[in-house]
């Protein structure tokens, strides 16, 4: 076409095919490796690692159970001591007569301290305190008894047993000083006979010192805090001989697993919350073991991948690169007389032999195709030129028809009759005055008609000049390359609008983007580009006319902006109409030869436009939201500043 055409921006480098092949093989191997690594990770993360977590959770739960068992042992240790005091005739007699000798002989601070309890009390069956003492085990001081229990208990208090009871009551109670382990034993005779005369109560506070001692004995990290009474809890176990507690909850952290449960008092209310922290050493070791296994597997996989790639490069990539470079060199240099001669017996060697044979046949066919393509190019070019001349000549015929009609409608015959009557001396004066007035008005109408005809003739002359320019451009093309020059796109578009047929302008308005005046010049052929623009405007106007719109609501907008590619800068023109639109299945065929969506279309115009713009180094394409939603024709033209 022309020396100004740039190489296609998508032209690949010399070794792009072989590079792509090796990249694909490497990508495939990496995908397989990543898939295997993912499956391995998923199996470890969701099968192996959870088993470590489950084991660790079991250890954490057992640690909480050990804490509960240790506290239960504390409670059980109080039971025989309470039984010694309760199953005693002296105690049984004391509850009857409250004798001072029993108190002096048995109920003194050192005796209570030797038991190791914070509370010892004797209550009657009516809930009256007969005797009681509170102690601080740390400093061995006697405390106010009411810091633990009131002096009067209700008859239905859970610490009191009926007269017929022989078994002790044990558990936890909430006292003003905190949660306390207690054993309440019915006071009976030495033989354990009744009826009971009251209860002896032993109590030991579950304070920080007691909790620390239990934790040390059980070899666990145990903490305790007052229970939250706002949440109702259900006991995970229920037995008068066991310590009631809520279900064990586990809460995981990064380094510790916290197990917690709430001890319930004898009435089933929250009394004390226990928390046992278990170091997450099991999962840490499991994570370390899996990491070592994964690293070992990754090193082995990468080593295998490396040796596979080396083997592929020797046996596949290098021969394919040689074959590819040979094919690319023949295509670029148009040399079809070179042979590869790889001398291989595998599939690549067979492909090289077939390529040599194909190139030989192609060289012979190229000569025959060259003659045929020249004749086809001349025919296609002539078809496009005829289509453009048809677009330019059609308005001439319309205007000539309109001029003929205007001349036929002129009052020439009436003017002849008026002149004859005015020449007749017998014509009355009144009639003569009317005839003179008619003659004057008719003369003015003829003058206006002649002026309008003059304007139409100037317009027709412009159309004829355009046709002559098309023919002259075609003659230059037939003799030499088409001239490309810097063009002001704003003025060229305005000239193209002036060439639009009047019968189409009745159905649409054409709005030019004011930014067009500030756009840089484009590098194109003036006449050829104007023909392309005229084709696009006429097609858009015909689409608006077919949609039933008029100049009131039919609109063609021409917008512009600049675009950059890898090696060029383009002016992007958009011809936007609100006509019939384009069906999605027709978008890709729109610029094919002989394809047309019009009933009487030839399919030459847009095909010629595409070839012409391509010859200028540009591109044309279409977009549409669908039928009834209008369309946009996109025109990309190289900027003149980038081609100087």
């Amino acid at each position: 076409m022309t020396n100004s055409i740039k190489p296609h921006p998508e032209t690949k480098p010399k070794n792009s095919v072989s590079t792509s092949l090796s990249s694909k093989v490497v990508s495939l191997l990496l995908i397989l490796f990543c898939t295997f690594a993912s499956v391995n990770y998923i199996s470890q993360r969701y099968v192996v690692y959870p088993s470590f977590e489950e084991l660790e959770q079991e250890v954490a739960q057992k640690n909480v159970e050990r804490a509960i068992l240790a506290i239960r042992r504390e409670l059980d240790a109080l039971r025989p001591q309470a039984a010694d005091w309760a199953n005693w005739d002296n105690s049984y007699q004391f509850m009857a007569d409250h004798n001072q000798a029993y108190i002096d002989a048995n109920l003194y601070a050192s005796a209570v301290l030797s038991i190791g309890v914070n509370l010892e009390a004797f209550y009657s069956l009516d809930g009256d305190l007969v005797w009681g003492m509170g102690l601080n085990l740390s400093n061995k001081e006697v405390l106010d008894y009411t810091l633990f229990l009131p002096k009067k208990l209700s008859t239905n208090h859970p610490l009191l047993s009926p007269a017929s009871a022989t078994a002790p009551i044990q558990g936890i109670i909430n006292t003003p000083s905190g949660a306390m382990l207690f054993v309440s034993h019915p006071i009976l005779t030495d033989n354990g006979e009744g009826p009971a005369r009251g209860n002896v109560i032993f109590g030991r506070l579950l304070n920080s010192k007691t909790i620390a001692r239990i934790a040390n004995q059980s070899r666990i990290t145990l903490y305790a805090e007052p229970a939250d009474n706002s949440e109702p809890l259900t006991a995970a176990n229920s037995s008068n001989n066991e310590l009631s507690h809520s279900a064990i909850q586990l809460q995981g952290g990064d380094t510790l697993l916290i197990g917690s449960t709430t001890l319930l008092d004898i009435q089933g209310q929250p009394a004390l919350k226990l928390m046992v922290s278990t170091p997450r050493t099991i999962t840490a070791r499991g994570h370390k073991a899996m990491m070592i296994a994964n690293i070992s597997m990754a090193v082995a996989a990468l080593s295998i991948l490396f040796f596979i790639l080396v083997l592929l490069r020797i046996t596949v990539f290098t021969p394919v690169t040689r074959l590819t470079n040979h094919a690319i060199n023949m295509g670029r240099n148009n040399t079809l007389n070179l042979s590869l001669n790889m001398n291989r017996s595998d599939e690549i060697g067979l492909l090289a032999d077939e390529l040599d044979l194909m190139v030989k046949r192609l060289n012979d066919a190229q000569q025959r195709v060259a003659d045929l393509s020249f004749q086809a190019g001349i025919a296609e070019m002539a078809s496009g030129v005829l289509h453009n001349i048809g677009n330019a000549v059609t308005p001439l015929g319309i205007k000539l028809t309109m001029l003929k009609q205007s001349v036929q409608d002129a009052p020439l015959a009436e003017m002849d009759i008026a002149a004859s009557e005015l020449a007749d001396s017998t014509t009355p004066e009144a009639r003569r005055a009317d005839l003179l007035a008619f003659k004057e008005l008719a003369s003015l109408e003829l003058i206006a008609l002649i002026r309008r005809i003059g304007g139409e003739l100037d317009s027709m002359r412009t159309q004829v000049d355009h046709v002559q320019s098309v023919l002259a451009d075609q003659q230059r093309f037939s003799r030499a390359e088409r001239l490309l020059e810097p063009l002001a796109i704003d003025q060229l578009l305005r000239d193209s609008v002036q060439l639009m047929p009047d019968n189409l302008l009745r159905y649409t308005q054409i709005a030019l983007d004011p930014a067009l005046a500030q756009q840089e010049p484009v590098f194109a052929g003036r006449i050829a580009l104007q023909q392309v623009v005229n084709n696009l405007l006429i097609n858009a106007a015909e689409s608006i006319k077919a949609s039933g719109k008029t100049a009131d609501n039919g609109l063609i907008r021409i917008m512009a902006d600049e675009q950059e590619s890898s090696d060029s800068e383009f002016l992007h023109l958009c011809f936007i109409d609100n006509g019939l639109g384009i069906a999605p299945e027709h978008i890709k065929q729109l610029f094919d030869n002989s394809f047309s969506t019009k009933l009487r279309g030839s399919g030459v115009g847009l095909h010629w436009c595409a070839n012409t713009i391509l010859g200028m180094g540009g591109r044309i394409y279409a977009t549409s939201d669908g039928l009834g939603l209008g369309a946009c024709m996109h025109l990309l033209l190289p900027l003149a500043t980038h081609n100087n």
Side-chain angles (χ1 to χ4, degrees):
M1 293 289 291
T2 173
N3 291 334
S4 299
I5 299 177
K6 302 294 182 182
H8 197 281
E10 296 182 357
T11 301
K12 296 183 178 180
K14 181 176 181 180
N15 60 345
S16 62
V17 177
S18 60
T19 303
S20 175
L21 178 61
S22 60
S23 299
K24 289 178 180 178
V25 173
V26 172
S27 299
L28 179 59
L29 292 174
L30 288 176
I31 289 173
L32 292 175
F33 170 73
C34 292
T35 302
F36 173 75
S38 300
V39 172
N40 180 64
Y41 172 78
I42 291 173
S43 63
Q44 291 186 356
R45 178 64 182 84
Y46 297 101
V47 178
V48 178
Y49 190 72
S51 64
F52 288 103
E53 291 182 329
E54 291 175 3
L55 179 60
E56 194 170 60
Q57 291 173 1
E58 291 177 4
V59 172
Q61 182 152 348
K62 287 185 181 297
N63 285 340
V64 177
E65 293 173 353
R66 289 170 62 189
I68 297 172
L69 182 60
I71 294 176
R72 185 177 295 123
R73 285 197 299 267
E74 289 283 321
L75 185 60
D76 292 340
L78 293 177
R79 186 171 179 175
Q81 296 178 4
D84 288 343
W85 284 78
N87 295 332
W88 188 18
D89 289 341
N90 291 346
S91 298
Y92 195 76
Q93 182 64 34
F94 171 70
M95 293 303 294
D97 56 16
H98 303 169
N99 63 87
Q100 186 63 35
Y102 179 84
I103 296 175
D104 295 338
N106 302 291
L107 302 179
Y108 49 88
S110 59
V112 177
L113 284 171
S114 66
I115 302 173
V117 295
N118 297 97
L119 170 68
E120 182 177 359
F122 289 82
Y123 278 90
S124 67
L125 294 176
D126 296 330
D128 295 323
L129 177 66
V130 177
W131 182 89
M133 178 180 289
L135 291 171
N136 187 330
L137 297 178
S138 298
N139 55 22
K140 302 179 182 180
E141 292 182 357
V142 177
L143 301 176
D144 182 5
Y145 177 82
T146 58
L147 291 175
F148 303 106
L149 287 175
K151 293 183 179 180
K152 175 66 177 177
L153 300 178
S154 61
T155 55
N156 60 351
H157 194 280
L159 292 178
L160 299 180
S161 302
S164 59
T166 58
I169 302 171
Q170 64 184 34
I172 297 179
I173 58 173
N174 275 315
T175 72
S177 296
M180 173 179 283
L181 295 174
F182 76 92
V183 174
S184 177
H185 202 292
I187 299 176
L188 305 172
T189 65
D190 287 345
N191 298 326
E193 297 176 352
R197 289 181 176 177
N199 290 78
V200 60
I201 300 175
F202 283 2
R204 182 177 295 156
L205 285 174
L206 285 173
N207 52 24
S208 58
K209 185 176 180 180
T210 304
I211 293 297
R213 177 173 53 80
I214 293 174
N216 185 50
Q217 292 173 351
S218 303
R219 295 184 180 179
I220 57 176
T221 305
L222 175 63
Y223 306 94
E225 63 181 27
D228 184 5
N229 293 322
S230 62
E231 290 189 24
L233 297 174
T234 302
N237 62 332
S238 58
S239 173
N240 291 332
N241 296 322
E242 293 186 4
L243 195 63
S244 297
H245 61 88
S246 64
I248 297 174
Q249 303 291 331
L250 297 179
Q251 184 177 1
D254 293 335
T255 58
L256 294 176
L257 191 60
I258 308 298
S260 62
T261 186
T262 300
L263 300 179
L264 306 181
D265 64 12
I266 192 172
Q267 294 178 314
Q269 298 300 316
L272 188 69
K273 183 176 182 180
L274 299 179
M275 294 172 291
V276 180
S277 61
T278 302
R280 306 201 66 171
T281 55
I282 296 177
T283 53
R285 291 177 181 176
H287 185 269
K288 182 178 180 180
M290 289 190 298
M291 182 180 295
I292 294 174
N294 287 332
I295 293 175
S296 301
M297 190 174 299
V299 171
L302 291 175
S303 300
I304 295 173
L305 179 63
F306 173 76
F307 286 113
I308 290 176
L309 290 177
V310 171
L311 183 62
L312 287 176
R313 179 170 296 278
I314 296 173
T315 59
V316 178
F317 295 157
T318 300
V320 169
T321 300
R322 181 184 172 191
L323 180 61
T324 302
N325 291 338
H326 176 72
I328 292 175
N329 288 333
M330 287 192 300
R332 287 183 174 179
N333 301 325
N334 197 23
T335 54
L336 300 179
N337 54 356
L338 298 177
S339 297
L340 191 57
N341 298 324
M342 294 191 67
N343 298 321
R344 291 172 61 103
S345 58
D346 55 11
E347 289 80 357
I348 297 178
L350 180 61
L351 177 61
D353 294 340
E354 290 297 324
L355 178 62
D356 290 341
L357 181 60
M358 181 184 64
V359 168
K360 183 178 180 303
R361 294 173 179 173
L362 185 61
N363 189 29
D364 296 337
Q366 188 180 46
Q367 302 300 323
R368 298 191 298 270
V369 171
D371 297 334
L372 295 175
S373 62
F374 175 78
Q375 298 175 7
I378 294 298
E380 182 178 347
M381 183 173 57
S383 177
V385 171
L386 290 176
H387 179 275
N388 293 325
I389 291 177
N391 286 339
V393 170
T394 299
L396 292 177
I398 296 174
K399 290 183 179 180
L400 286 173
T401 302
M402 294 175 61
L403 290 177
K404 180 180 178 181
Q405 185 63 40
S406 298
V407 172
Q408 290 177 350
D409 294 341
L412 298 179
E414 290 81 356
M415 291 182 67
D416 288 340
I417 295 173
S420 299
E421 291 186 16
L422 287 173
D424 188 354
S425 59
T426 61
T427 302
E429 289 299 324
R431 174 65 176 173
R432 186 180 296 276
D434 292 340
L435 291 173
L436 288 173
F438 168 76
K439 184 175 181 181
E440 183 177 356
L441 291 174
S443 299
L444 293 175
E445 183 177 348
L446 284 176
I447 292 172
L449 176 61
I450 292 171
R451 287 176 179 174
R452 188 168 71 255
I453 291 174
E456 293 293 338
L457 289 175
D458 290 339
S459 177
M460 293 172 64
R461 179 60 186 174
T462 301
Q463 295 282 1
V464 171
D465 290 342
H466 179 63
V467 172
Q468 290 178 342
S469 299
V470 171
L471 292 174
D473 187 64
Q474 184 58 38
Q475 289 175 354
R476 286 196 304 271
F477 182 81
S478 62
R479 295 191 302 267
E481 295 178 346
R482 179 170 290 162
L483 175 64
L484 302 181
E485 58 181 328
L487 299 176
I489 193 63
D490 180 59
Q491 186 58 46
L492 185 140
L493 291 172
R494 295 185 186 278
D495 293 343
S496 298
V497 172
Q498 295 297 323
L499 294 174
M500 283 287 289
D502 294 336
N503 65 318
L504 291 179
L505 290 176
R506 291 199 300 268
Y507 298 95
T508 184
Q509 303 178 43
I510 301 177
L512 273 69
D513 185 359
L516 287 166
Q518 282 76 42
Q519 297 297 330
E520 296 185 20
V522 297
F523 197 63
R526 179 184 300 276
I527 302 302
L529 181 57
Q530 194 168 63
Q531 293 175 65
V532 171
V533 172
N534 286 345
N535 266 287
L536 299 182
L537 291 176
I538 290 173
N539 287 346
E542 289 177 345
S543 176
I544 293 174
K545 176 182 177 182
S547 69
K549 292 182 174 63
T550 63
D552 294 332
N553 52 11
L555 178 63
I556 301 174
R557 291 182 297 142
I558 305 177
M559 315 293 289
D561 59 16
E562 292 186 4
Q563 290 188 2
E564 293 185 4
S565 66
S566 58
D567 60 349
S568 299
E569 294 182 2
F570 295 91
L571 177 66
H572 178 208
L573 292 176
C574 299
F575 296 79
I576 308 170
D577 68 77
N578 58 351
L580 289 177
I582 306 171
E585 62 270 17
H586 292 160
I587 289 289
K588 294 183 178 180
Q589 302 173 270
L590 203 60
F591 298 96
D592 292 349
N593 192 16
S594 301
F595 177 80
S596 176
T597 58
K598 304 175 187 177
L599 294 178
R600 293 182 294 176
S602 64
V604 173
L606 288 180
H607 178 67
W608 180 87
C609 290
N611 288 338
T612 300
I613 294 301
L614 182 63
M616 298 178 188
R619 188 163 68 93
I620 185 172
Y621 63 96
T623 57
S624 175
D625 292 333
L627 294 177
L629 300 176
C632 178
M633 304 299 292
H634 302 264
L635 199 59
L636 292 175
L637 297 170
L639 293 176
T641 54
H642 194 72
N643 288 271
N644 289 339

